[in-house]
Amino acid sequence: ALSSAASDVYKRQVFILEGRLIFDLEGHKKYILEANDTLYYPNYIGHRWENDTDSPVKMLIVSTSPYDF
């Protein structure tokens, strides 16, 4: 397991290209993201997302990892 200091270095970035998405970070508030919105968070936080519309969503997720692949 990583120490909390080390794990804070590894982040996720979510960028909404199209549509609207509700992004729920465990232990934090829900974020409503729309086209051109960006959300950054440590990748050890539990998360889920929901499309509460009938329209498609396109998003880009970039994640760093402490592991070599």
Side-chain angles (χ1 to χ4, degrees), residues 20-59:
R20 170 190 150 108
L21 200 65
I22 298 174
F23 213 90
D24 187 4
L25 295 179
E26 184 178 347
H28 299 272
K29 69 178 190 173
K30 291 183 180 182
Y31 297 89
I32 297 174
L33 304 176
E34 297 181 339
N36 298 316
D37 285 343
T38 301
L39 178 66
Y40 294 93
Y41 61 95
N43 65 7
Y44 62 85
I45 293 178
H47 58 278
R48 65 185 207 105
W49 57 80
E50 174 187 359
N51 179 355
D52 66 342
T53 72
D54 292 330
S55 300
V57 174
K58 292 183 182 177
M59 66 178 166

